[in-house]
Amino acid sequence: MHATQNTVAEQVTTPARTLRDAVLYLSRHGWTQGAYYDATSGSFTPPACLVGAVGIVCYGGPVDAPAHMFDAPEFADFDAALTYLDWYLALRFADSQYYERLDNAYDFNDAKGQTADAVIAALNAAADAWDRTNGTPTKDGCRCGDSDCADVMPRNQDRSGCCQYCGYYDCDVCGWSVTAGGAA
């Protein structure tokens, strides 16, 4: 290296960074259910399910079974992101009768009636939660920008002023639900 060259700092991959990159991928290329990728797209960047998007982010492209790439050096990043996301989903939906069996990324993605917006909101919320837990600064307030959103409020606080990011009756960002009498 020449004395005038700047060194490049090694980039540290966190589960939060991986999840946000998966959000970016899904936003640009689309979302699907029931398979890792939409095989009918004919594209190297096909619409992907939640797990498929994390796989593409980690491995650099579609792979047949992202969760079984044990010998790939990128598997550690994939596994860290999915393990954290599964933990987050299990906590997020632990008390909800409406969301039975949505405590892992596969079931959450493939749930009947699931939407791309809800998947993206959950990925962003999980990434923010990882950042808060691990000392990485996050923006003030909820991902939707509503400072009253329960993402920054105690879970037992009134949610009547909660954001409308994911829908009035069932907000995937903060957990507010009118069907539960305003309690998550």
Side-chain angles (χ1 to χ4, degrees), residues 1 19 35 46 50-51 90 166 169:
M1 174 182 266
L19 297 174
L50 185 162
V51 177
C166 295
Y169 294 102

Side-chain angles (χ1 to χ4, degrees), residues 98-99 159 162 167-171 174-184:
Y98 180 73
Y99 286 109
R159 289 168 172 40
C162 184
Y168 186 77
Y169 294 102
D170 186 24
C171 181
C174 67
W176 185 83
S177 173
V178 73
T179 59

